[in-house]
Amino acid sequence: MTERQTVVVIGAGHNGLVCATYLARAGRKVLVVEAAAQPGGAAITREFAPGYRVSAVAHLLHLLDPVIERELALARHGLSYARSSLVNVSLSPGRPALSLDGGDVIAGEVSPADRSALQVHAARMQKFARVIARQHARVPPRLRFESWHDVLPAAAVALDIRLLGRKDMREFLRIATMNIYDVLEEQFEHAGIKGVLALDAVLGTRLGPRSGNSVYTALYRQSGSVNGRSGALALPQGGMGAVSNALVSAARIAGVEIRCGAQVEEIIVREGRATGVRLRNGEELRADRVVSNADPKTTLLRLLGARHLETEFARRVQQLRAVGTAAKLHLALSGRPQFRGLPAGLLGERLVIAPDLDYIESAFNPAKYGEFSAQPIMEVTLPSLHDASLAPAGHEVLSAVVQYAPYDLKGGWAAGKRPFLAAIMAVLEEHAPGIGALVQHAELLTPLDIEQQFGITGGHWHHGELALDQFMMLRPVAGAAQYATPVAGLYLCGAGCHPGGGIMGSAGRNAARVIAGGR
Ligand SMILES: Cc1cc2nc3c(=O)[nH]c(=O)nc-3n(C[C@H](O)[C@H](O)[C@H](O)COP(=O)(O)OP(=O)(O)OC[C@H]3O[C@@H](n4cnc5c(N)ncnc54)[C@H](O)[C@@H]3O)c2cc1C
């Protein structure tokens, strides 16, 4: 009888858990070792003030692969939604709130021309986003074609684009490398529409609306679905930790062992092959395969070490751009804030502070020079309005992604955090007068805090910038884009791989298919 192949997965982020579960189902003996005290990585719910709980980093679920949700039976393992489809609300102190649901205007003053342009734009972007979505579940093609096996994935991408039809294909190819600023200027008059749509293109990136590549990031952002609805934004019941809890339960049922508080210090290499890991406490764990959910720089430069890599490959990993710009704000509020011009019924939606394109570009400008935005853009949610488990009765939790907060802040975050929080609160106060007086506790996580607390290099949303020179067969770098690294027995399975970041699970599932030999 042959012994079962053993696998150690470094990290119990959602991708590590997905990968581990598929590998266990494929007959492997899988141990997940996680540095933090609880599994989930950046997809956890935690208490940030007595009685107040929040999705600590990722807070909106919109990219989780429905195939994974179904195959791992996550609903059966406890995943449900407090809200499965939030609408977008653009806030601007000088005008009534504008509310958009995909291609429909729910509230706000919008011209007939803009209404019909929005319908056309939303339908076309959804169609293009589906092309991107189809790539998520595929292992990227190789740059070098050695057999038909290598040609077919590349041909599939070309076919997906061709199947758009001549007119849409031409438009797809025209805008794919454009910036979102120019695309939106071509189509809309209303500043608020342009602001909301541009925010989606830059969230989690080091891009402004005028940066190249920002149409691709906009399409990526829209490429998911929730409950069969494309582009929907959901709040899991119990916060983002509920996704990880369901994944943990599915993993355990499949036979995966998960050890928390077990930080890997080193990937052990013998005769050119990864043979296990050494933990911080000195314990060595042997394995036939080592899979890392940690980001590519952590895995390849710190845990493995450049000495095990060819110089050219190591240089590529060193050059990976992974400088985070997204901060996370959590406010414990003693009551409901009131936003100017916002009907009470819309308070629980996704509130967007990005009133126009130039506001976003101006917020981005300082980040180019290592400074934070004096007037940041924000994606604000009040999850406790939908989920009573998050705050004491009558109290609320505000959870916001705030940009731009460059990881490499000039002068450092020790000095910069307090003035940045003051700048954020000044913007919030302008939109919701009196909100400051409701604040019982404020937690601001800068990209440096995210790096230190969640082990993500640069605190980067995608474990490495999502850009055309760092995507698909170039993600994280050429030579590791099919999840296998140049070191035999060592694989990657996190957001730094194709397709990228977001609570999606696709990198974990694709990596498992490669490792189990069924790509
Ligand atoms: C501010 C911010 C807001 C975001 N908001 C959203 C959002 O609303 N929606 C969304 O879909 N996405 C969001 N994201 C992106 C999302 O959080 C990430 O892309 C996603 O969590 C990556 O998942 P992962 O499993 O690949 O990696 P991670 O979640 O980073 O998990 C990696 C795991 O590996 C562990 N690890 C690392 N090193 C070691 C080691 N040496 N030993 C043992 N364990 C180790 C870590 O502790 C961690 O648990 C946001 C990101 C940021 C920064």
Side-chain angles (χ1 to χ4, degrees):
M1 223 169 83
T2 52
E3 285 233 338
R4 274 209 296 166
Q5 193 182 74
T6 56
V7 181
V8 165
V9 178
I10 304 170
H14 82 287
N15 273 314
L17 293 169
V18 167
C19 186
T21 307
Y22 279 106
L23 286 174
R25 286 182 171 194
R28 307 302 190 274
K29 188 171 188 298
V30 187
L31 169 66
V32 181
V33 280
E34 165 58 50
Q38 75 180 96
I44 57 163
T45 307
R46 70 180 184 191
E47 193 172 60
F48 70 102
Y52 298 87
R53 296 164 68 241
V54 75
S55 298
V57 184
H59 63 169
L60 287 176
L61 190 70
H62 55 106
L63 287 171
L64 182 62
D65 183 347
V67 174
I68 296 175
E69 200 173 348
R70 194 182 60 243
E71 286 178 347
L72 301 191
L74 296 187
R76 201 149 40 80
H77 289 287
L79 178 62
S80 65
Y81 299 110
R83 269 292 295 277
S84 64
S85 190
L86 296 178
V87 302
N88 286 306
V89 180
S90 161
L91 299 178
S92 176
R95 62 170 188 247
L98 166 78
S99 173
L100 308 177
D101 189 8
D104 297 322
V105 179
I106 308 290
E109 290 160 15
V110 175
S111 70
D114 266 349
R115 278 180 193 266
S116 64
L118 186 63
Q119 292 274 344
V120 173
H121 176 82
R124 191 184 284 144
M125 291 295 273
Q126 273 309 326
K127 194 169 175 190
F128 295 169
R130 278 197 291 276
V131 173
I132 308 279
R134 274 197 285 279
Q135 315 316 316
H136 292 170
R138 294 183 184 148
V139 177
R142 287 177 194 283
L143 285 172
R144 212 172 26 192
F145 293 159
E146 285 171 350
S147 73
W148 278 107
H149 244 308
D150 300 329
V151 177
L152 289 177
V157 180
L159 186 65
D160 283 335
I161 297 174
R162 187 68 193 85
L163 287 175
L164 285 169
R166 186 188 293 256
K167 197 163 153 241
D168 280 341
M169 178 179 75
R170 217 170 30 213
E171 183 63 3
F172 180 80
L173 294 175
R174 184 182 79 88
I175 69 167
T177 53
M178 277 175 74
N179 65 58
I180 197 73
Y181 189 104
D182 289 342
V183 169
L184 297 175
E185 279 292 319
E186 277 178 0
Q187 298 177 32
F188 300 104
E189 293 158 3
H190 196 297
I193 296 181
K194 291 184 270 193
V196 168
L197 298 177
L199 180 101
D200 274 345
V202 301
L203 219 52
T205 72
R206 200 180 174 94
L207 303 175
R210 281 200 171 99
S211 309
N213 192 51
S214 48
V215 170
Y216 171 68
T217 45
L219 291 172
Y220 183 89
R221 173 88 194 177
Q222 280 182 36
S223 60
S225 65
V226 180
N227 283 347
R229 189 152 179 236
S230 300
L233 302 165
L235 290 170
Q237 178 71 37
M240 200 57 83
V243 178
S244 299
N245 291 345
L247 287 170
V248 165
S249 171
R252 291 209 164 113
I253 294 281
V256 175
E257 187 189 340
I258 302 168
R259 275 172 65 180
C260 289
Q263 179 162 345
V264 172
E265 279 286 311
E266 186 187 348
I267 294 167
I268 301 167
V269 178
R270 301 233 193 286
E271 293 168 8
R273 186 177 181 88
T275 57
V277 297
R278 190 169 52 75
L279 301 183
R280 196 178 189 176
N281 65 7
E283 188 182 353
E284 291 195 3
L285 303 168
R286 294 187 57 79
D288 301 305
R289 302 275 186 277
V290 176
V291 189
S292 181
N293 181 198
D295 66 82
K297 284 193 163 187
T298 297
T299 304
L300 297 166
L301 301 180
R302 200 162 65 69
L303 303 181
L304 178 73
R307 66 190 180 283
H308 295 295
L309 300 167
E310 280 183 11
T311 317
E312 171 56 22
F313 182 86
R315 192 183 58 81
R316 267 182 244 148
V317 179
Q318 253 141 12
Q319 286 175 345
L320 246 175
R321 298 190 307 287
V323 178
T325 60
K328 193 77 194 305
L329 174 74
H330 306 135
L331 298 180
L333 301 175
S334 59
R336 282 188 189 182
Q338 285 190 342
F339 285 78
R340 281 184 216 266
L342 182 73
L346 292 178
L347 183 62
E349 305 298 335
R350 179 196 193 215
L351 310 179
V352 172
I353 300 182
D356 59 60
L357 288 171
D358 288 338
Y359 179 102
I360 307 177
E361 192 67 34
S362 302
F364 174 52
N365 284 338
K368 298 175 198 162
Y369 309 104
E371 292 161 14
F372 62 70
S373 318
Q375 294 219 295
I377 55 172
M378 292 185 220
E379 172 189 75
V380 179
T381 63
L382 283 108
S384 53
L385 288 174
H386 308 286
D387 185 344
S389 71
L390 301 177
H395 293 230
E396 305 297 348
V397 166
L398 181 147
S399 168
V401 175
V402 187
Q403 274 180 214
Y404 293 81
Y407 167 80
D408 49 359
L409 187 75
K410 223 187 273 170
W413 278 108
K417 195 164 171 172
R418 191 188 285 260
F420 187 48
L421 180 58
I424 297 168
M425 288 311 299
V427 171
L428 280 177
E429 195 69 38
E430 197 187 338
H431 288 273
I435 192 170
L438 299 175
V439 175
Q440 307 291 294
H441 180 77
E443 177 185 60
L444 177 64
L445 300 177
T446 67
L448 179 64
D449 294 319
I450 292 170
E451 177 179 79
Q452 289 169 347
Q453 294 179 30
F454 296 89
I456 302 172
T457 300
H460 199 287
W461 185 299
H462 295 278
H463 284 195
E465 198 68 21
L466 191 66
L468 293 178
D469 63 321
Q470 294 188 175
F471 97 129
M472 281 190 86
M473 52 280 214
L474 298 174
R475 187 166 184 84
V477 293
Q482 288 78 26
Y483 307 96
T485 72
V487 173
L490 177 63
Y491 298 81
L492 300 171
C493 76
C497 308
H498 171 76
I503 309 306
M504 184 188 270
S506 306
R509 183 172 182 267
N510 291 347
R513 273 166 52 218
V514 169
I515 298 160
R519 47 175 299 186

